Amino acid sequence: MGGLATALALAKHGFRNVEVYESASNLGFVGAGIQLAPNMARILDKLGVWEEIEKEAVDLKDTSIRQGSTDEELGHVDLLYVRDTYKYPHMVGHRSSLAGSLYNGCKREKGVIFFWSTAIGEVQSWGPQPSFTAIPRKGEPYTVQADVLLAADGVKSVVRDQLLKLNNIDAKIVDTGQAAYRIMLKRDEMAHDPELLELIDADRVTRWIGAKRHIIAYPVSNKQIYNLSTAQPDLNFADAPSQTYTTKGSKPQMMEVYDDFCPKVKRMLDLVPDGEVCEWKLRVHEPLPFWVHGQTALVGDACHPTLPHMAQGAAQAIEDGAVLGVVLSKLPDTSPEAVNKGLRVYEEVRKDRAYALVELAAAAGRSMHLGEGAAKEERDRQFAALKKSAKGPVPDRWADAEVQKMVYGQDVMKIADEDFDQMYARL
């Protein structure tokens, strides 16, 4: 998402030679649902792709946080005010719709060229004209030279690893001890069960929580698919190679993990066909001291991977791309010095905000996964107070109005545009 958004943002700002290198052979089917928060929607609208995404997204009216074992509602938050407050709603959609719309936006721009089935190898120079080895799946490796190198190559970023080694920095991928099942149920699979049909027909995000585990679920694709994402202790990856993203899961094992959850949840999980259970390892990365070196910068998960509990992973990568489009378009000249300073403005706009949200997501997960004890009692007291007055802090942090103000209320493109001259002059 970060690479697509960056390419589109650059093209929208007039750049006419934007090359995108992608190791996959095509865009493919990007699975699972995604929350489309207002800070993301605002940028997508400015990039000219929001209308296409919005057509099949679901406009959330509320969220319900429930006890996993009993289905008792712990807290309820009305989300109707979000559109009025931030001019965009909090919607949910399919990742393939988001990725496909960004890609289609890029294809409409004459300046964006895609090189599929091509991985990045050694970075030969970080500037003044960065160069790297491109490794096509078929054919011989070759050297690519650029004016700016923007590495949106994910949590396993080979560019980041080389950059850290170059600067003798030891910042490792962090094993969170958590893993996730990502499940998409079709409407016709749920239609026989009135309780499940009620879930897919509602404009609602539902989260069932329990000790060390939770499930978050919502309808996508015009309510033709019900998306479930889980988080639970990582049992299957503990001895796996660190580079593994996914593993084929066991349905009996998945059912056992959530065996003490309510019958409604277990009926949904049981709809997953045998042999189609996949589990993702959840990783983050130690905060980096810098994102920029020479005329090269890191983007998205390459510099700030996050847990999914704030629904901001893709949004923050898209914010990166949007800011890069702004700052690089405002450079006073195209000298290597100017490019480096522009990239450092990008880092200044984005770095503290991104890492604050990474920590907030981790804290939200800890709150949701509490076992018995004083902390859980305090959390549930806050939920009980919320049910009585519909005001006050929401332990499920993404639904908290004050947190939303910080996340949704900040327009990073506007900040980059208005503050660029001041920040650039300081560097």
Side-chain angles (χ1 to χ4, degrees), residues 74-85:
L74 298 172
H76 178 272
V77 180
D78 190 327
L79 296 174
L80 287 172
Y81 84 98
V82 171
R83 184 189 290 269
D84 293 335
T85 305

Side-chain angles (χ1 to χ4, degrees), residues 398-416:
W398 81 268
D400 183 276
E402 289 302 311
V403 173
Q404 289 174 341
K405 186 183 298 183
M406 184 267 283
V407 180
Y408 305 162
Q410 188 171 118
D411 185 337
V412 293
M413 291 183 75
K414 183 179 180 182
I415 292 169

